[in-house]
Amino acid sequence: MKKIINDPKDVLAEMTSGLVGAYPEKLEQIPDTFVIKRKVNAQQVALVSGGGSGHEPAHAGFVGDGMLSAAVCGQVFTSPTPDQIFAAIQATNEGKGVLLIVKNYSGDVMNFEMAQDMADLEDISVGFVLVDDDIAVEDSTYTQGRRGVAGTVLVHKILGAWAKNGASVEQLETAGKELVEKIKTIGVALSGATVPEVGKPGFELAEDEIEFGVGIHGEPGYRREKSKSSKEMAKEIVEKLKAEFQWEKGDSYGVLVNGMGATPLMEQYIFFNDVKAILEEEGVAISFSKVGNYMTSIDMAGLSLTMIQTDQAILDALNMPVDTIAW
Amino acid sequence: MKKIINDPKDVLAEMTSGLVGAYPEKLEQIPDTFVIKRKVNAQQVALVSGGGSGHEPAHAGFVGDGMLSAAVCGQVFTSPTPDQIFAAIQATNEGKGVLLIVKNYSGDVMNFEMAQDMADLEDISVGFVLVDDDIAVEDSTYTQGRRGVAGTVLVHKILGAWAKNGASVEQLETAGKELVEKIKTIGVALSGATVPEVGKPGFELAEDEIEFGVGIHGEPGYRREKSKSSKEMAKEIVEKLKAEFQWEKGDSYGVLVNGMGATPLMEQYIFFNDVKAILEEEGVAISFSKVGNYMTSIDMAGLSLTMIQTDQAILDALNMPVDTIAW
């Protein structure tokens, strides 16, 4: 393993220190925690997300005006503890309540629910939106049901806009549940990710192999096969998404191509180009698009494609300016 | 080689098509070229940059209000041709002239100078700023003098702000030459980059080896050695920069940590954290900072550290909002 780190045990502490140190005018760390919050709270429902680290820029890169109020950073690929989530709730609540946005992993769900219970005892109103956008497999290594992956970033963006525009906890929770139904993702991996404390990749692919449907912690996908062209990968993935969405000619969708960490933008743009051509053939209009590293898996090579059914309210929310380091 | 591409010969065409396709409201491609320009020209001196592809998001990701007017994309690691650069000059000139910002590689310098001559014949006023921020080595594989690397992005940002604020071609050229003197960079590589048409890395490092001073096309650095901790890498690199800048306690510098393509943000933040600690010991204040992938080398693992001597005019320019996909 070659990595630019010091003691693997210090990765989380040094990474959060570096992140806040690089953007001191925007972000601060709650003392004695790995919670990254906005320097100045907004007078609105606070949006709190988080999860294991290793997915940077998610989630701390999306803390800022118009998106998240705080991100709770767990150890690498490990859920943050309930007390840290509760600290984020307390530090961001301005009396209008807090909405938790949680990717569907058993540890995250349990710990965010415990923090919600702790907030209940303090009479803080806390809503909960579970994101399970990964259609690759049902149930997985750390998940009952479907996994939460890159589509979570779109949930941050859209609910962030609506929260800024004054929606209540109840409204955001209801809207968030409807929104998650409209977002689906599927990924493909060219290599495994190496957790610093482990020191070797979580899985290995041969020099000519790829795997469809791998999760963002290296959870198994649905098929391993010989490497293919970008066009063929795009065809496979778009077909899977079509089977879920059952779209018709004339429908409009937003598209997010997300790099997993080690895949250059060059390849992500080429892949987007292929996706666009297929959707044109399908008669599906692209109403919003974005390409880049948003929800990574440390140093994994690969990417994911997220599609979202859009209407005007969703598009307005996606296009609203924000002040974050990574959107 | 595993890459998400189709025919390696089509990488440039498909990448630029994907890039413009993903951001159609901001960017457009000049027909029959690989020039990416703003959808709407600004009434100011136009800033044109470019070079070989493989450094994404540089340079097309910095096209937009407050930064570049156009980016000319060459084949991977290959200079764009004079006719394409000239097409960019013609398409962006609004009668106030054009400033070319060119990284110091022999092919780029020659081709951008030829385009400048072509513009001369048409009475278009064209200035030229050469960026040679890489202090690792004097002369190199494709360069006489020092190479131009990640500091170029800061030149785009600062001159972009000044151009927007109304500076003339002559003012920008003079200011640009002074600015480049204040910017120095040095990098470290953990692996080589694979050009798609070549199919294997340009150089290889052993599983426990790193190389200091490698260029963004895999040009040799100044020392290959056993892998080190982030702290030790930061110490080596900051000492090299100190020897150039000869700073004193109380001086202020901006800091850019730039990922080379395959190095996760996690590691970049840890490295920034170490740089910050060293500068604090030195009594040097960090007046501006930014961490992420800005000037990559395809899928190379590694990063570079750029430092810039700042004054208030430079800081104002660095902090001015822009509308680009990658700043």
Side-chain angles (χ1 to χ4, degrees):
Chain A
M1 175 187 65
K2 259 190 299 193
K3 282 184 185 286
I4 303 172
I5 60 171
N6 298 300
D7 188 330
K9 287 191 195 64
D10 298 329
V11 158
L12 176 59
E14 294 183 2
M15 175 179 69
T16 50
S17 170
L19 173 60
V20 170
Y23 300 97
E25 72 292 352
K26 287 186 201 293
L27 302 174
E28 64 182 22
Q29 190 163 354
I30 301 179
D32 303 320
T33 74
F34 300 113
V35 177
I36 310 286
K37 69 180 285 292
R38 288 189 215 176
K39 196 105 182 161
V40 180
N41 283 348
Q43 298 303 311
Q44 59 171 71
V45 173
L47 260 54
V48 172
S49 191
S53 291
H55 307 302
E56 295 68 33
H59 298 269
F62 305 114
V63 171
D65 186 50
M67 282 187 84
L68 299 180
S69 307
V72 193
C73 307
Q75 295 290 337
V76 178
F77 289 0
T78 303
S79 299
T81 52
D83 58 305
Q84 299 230 348
I85 302 163
F86 182 52
I89 292 172
Q90 286 183 300
T92 57
N93 177 41
E94 288 286 322
K96 310 207 169 188
V98 177
L99 185 79
L100 303 176
I101 301 173
V102 184
K103 302 196 296 302
N104 189 31
Y105 298 100
S106 305
D108 285 344
V109 172
M110 189 173 69
N111 291 355
F112 276 83
E113 281 180 350
M114 283 177 64
Q116 188 179 23
D117 290 344
M118 291 160 82
D120 240 14
L121 295 174
E122 307 267 326
D123 286 326
I124 303 173
S125 165
V126 177
F128 199 102
V129 172
L130 190 69
V131 187
D132 57 352
D133 56 316
D134 189 345
I135 63 165
V137 295
E138 301 293 333
D139 302 326
S140 186
T141 318
Y142 315 108
T143 318
Q144 299 216 316
R146 290 173 166 184
R147 301 174 301 222
V149 291
T152 311
V153 177
L154 301 180
V155 177
H156 294 345
K157 181 67 182 75
I158 296 162
L159 295 184
W162 293 344
K164 186 174 174 174
N165 287 344
S168 68
V169 170
E170 294 69 28
Q171 287 169 330
L172 290 169
E173 191 176 74
T174 305
K177 283 171 183 173
E178 286 170 14
L179 178 63
V180 169
E181 297 296 311
K182 297 176 197 275
I183 303 176
K184 316 273 180 207
T185 300
I186 196 159
V188 59
L190 279 64
S191 76
T194 297
V195 173
E197 287 214 59
V198 177
K200 61 185 180 57
F203 66 95
E204 305 244 18
L205 288 169
E207 188 43 50
D208 61 348
E209 258 183 348
I210 61 173
E211 185 168 339
F212 283 103
V214 170
I216 56 174
H217 313 92
E219 302 96 321
Y222 63 84
R223 198 171 76 246
R224 192 174 280 205
E225 62 181 303
K226 294 281 177 198
S227 191
K228 302 181 137 190
S229 69
S230 170
K231 275 191 180 69
E232 288 166 310
M233 291 187 211
K235 189 159 187 290
E236 161 100 18
I237 290 175
V238 172
E239 270 170 14
K240 290 271 178 195
L241 289 165
K242 182 182 180 180
E244 284 283 319
F245 281 121
Q246 304 273 340
W247 59 59
E248 293 176 5
K249 261 191 207 309
D251 287 352
S252 284
Y253 283 81
V255 169
L256 173 72
V257 171
N258 171 61
M260 291 296 191
T263 288
L265 272 175
M266 173 191 281
E267 298 175 35
Q268 297 177 41
Y269 288 132
I270 290 171
F271 181 80
F272 175 84
N273 192 52
D274 291 322
V275 168
K276 183 166 172 280
I278 296 168
L279 292 179
E280 275 166 10
E281 276 170 33
E282 292 277 323
V284 168
I286 297 181
S287 51
F288 173 87
S289 45
K290 209 164 167 75
V291 179
N293 296 352
Y294 296 97
M295 176 73 74
T296 62
S297 180
I298 314 179
D299 53 359
M300 186 158 110
L303 52 73
S304 63
L305 175 64
T306 301
M307 290 181 67
I308 172 172
Q309 286 180 284
T310 53
D311 55 28
Q312 198 54 51
I314 287 175
L315 286 176
D316 288 347
L318 285 170
N319 290 318
M320 197 170 106
V322 294
D323 182 22
T324 67
I325 59 179
W327 172 253
Chain B
M1 174 186 66
K2 258 189 298 191
K3 283 185 185 285
I4 303 171
I5 59 172
N6 299 300
D7 189 329
K9 288 192 193 65
D10 298 329
V11 158
L12 176 58
E14 294 183 2
M15 176 180 68
T16 50
S17 169
L19 173 60
V20 170
Y23 301 97
E25 72 293 350
K26 288 187 201 291
L27 301 174
E28 64 181 23
Q29 189 165 353
I30 301 179
D32 304 319
T33 74
F34 299 113
V35 177
I36 310 286
K37 69 180 284 292
R38 287 189 215 176
K39 195 104 182 160
V40 180
N41 282 348
Q43 297 304 312
Q44 59 169 70
V45 173
L47 262 52
V48 172
S49 190
S53 292
H55 307 301
E56 293 70 32
H59 297 269
F62 305 115
V63 172
D65 187 50
M67 284 186 84
L68 299 180
S69 307
V72 194
C73 307
Q75 294 290 337
V76 177
F77 289 1
T78 302
S79 299
T81 53
D83 58 306
Q84 299 230 347
I85 301 164
F86 181 53
I89 292 171
Q90 286 183 301
T92 57
N93 176 42
E94 288 286 323
K96 309 206 170 189
V98 177
L99 185 78
L100 303 176
I101 302 173
V102 184
K103 302 194 299 298
N104 188 32
Y105 299 100
S106 306
D108 285 343
V109 172
M110 189 173 69
N111 291 356
F112 276 83
E113 280 180 351
M114 284 177 64
Q116 188 179 22
D117 291 344
M118 292 160 83
D120 241 14
L121 295 174
E122 307 268 326
D123 287 326
I124 303 173
S125 165
V126 176
F128 199 103
V129 172
L130 190 69
V131 187
D132 58 352
D133 57 315
D134 189 345
I135 63 165
V137 296
E138 301 292 334
D139 303 327
S140 186
T141 318
Y142 313 108
T143 318
Q144 298 217 317
R146 288 173 168 185
R147 301 174 299 223
V149 291
T152 311
V153 178
L154 301 180
V155 177
H156 295 343
K157 181 67 182 77
I158 295 162
L159 295 185
W162 293 344
K164 186 175 173 171
N165 287 344
S168 68
V169 171
E170 295 68 29
Q171 288 169 329
L172 289 169
E173 190 176 74
T174 305
K177 282 172 183 171
E178 286 170 15
L179 178 63
V180 169
E181 297 295 311
K182 298 176 197 275
I183 302 176
K184 317 273 181 208
T185 300
I186 197 160
V188 58
L190 279 64
S191 77
T194 297
V195 173
E197 287 215 59
V198 178
K200 61 185 179 59
F203 66 94
E204 304 244 19
L205 289 168
E207 188 44 49
D208 62 348
E209 258 184 350
I210 61 172
E211 184 168 337
F212 284 104
V214 170
I216 56 173
H217 313 93
E219 303 96 320
Y222 62 84
R223 199 171 74 245
R224 194 173 278 205
E225 62 181 302
K226 293 280 177 200
S227 189
K228 302 180 136 189
S229 69
S230 170
K231 275 190 177 72
E232 289 166 309
M233 291 186 209
K235 191 159 186 288
E236 161 100 18
I237 290 175
V238 172
E239 270 171 13
K240 290 271 175 192
L241 290 165
K242 182 182 180 179
E244 285 282 319
F245 280 121
Q246 305 270 340
W247 59 60
E248 293 177 4
K249 260 191 207 309
D251 287 353
S252 284
Y253 284 81
V255 168
L256 172 71
V257 171
N258 170 61
M260 290 296 191
T263 287
L265 272 175
M266 173 191 280
E267 298 176 35
Q268 298 177 41
Y269 288 131
I270 290 171
F271 181 80
F272 175 85
N273 192 52
D274 291 322
V275 168
K276 182 167 172 279
I278 296 168
L279 292 179
E280 274 166 11
E281 276 171 31
E282 292 276 324
V284 169
I286 299 180
S287 50
F288 173 86
S289 45
K290 208 163 168 74
V291 179
N293 296 353
Y294 297 97
M295 177 73 74
T296 61
S297 181
I298 314 179
D299 54 357
M300 186 158 110
L303 51 73
S304 63
L305 175 64
T306 300
M307 289 181 67
I308 172 172
Q309 286 181 284
T310 53
D311 55 29
Q312 197 54 49
I314 288 175
L315 286 176
D316 288 347
L318 285 170
N319 290 317
M320 196 169 105
V322 294
D323 182 21
T324 69
I325 59 179
W327 171 254

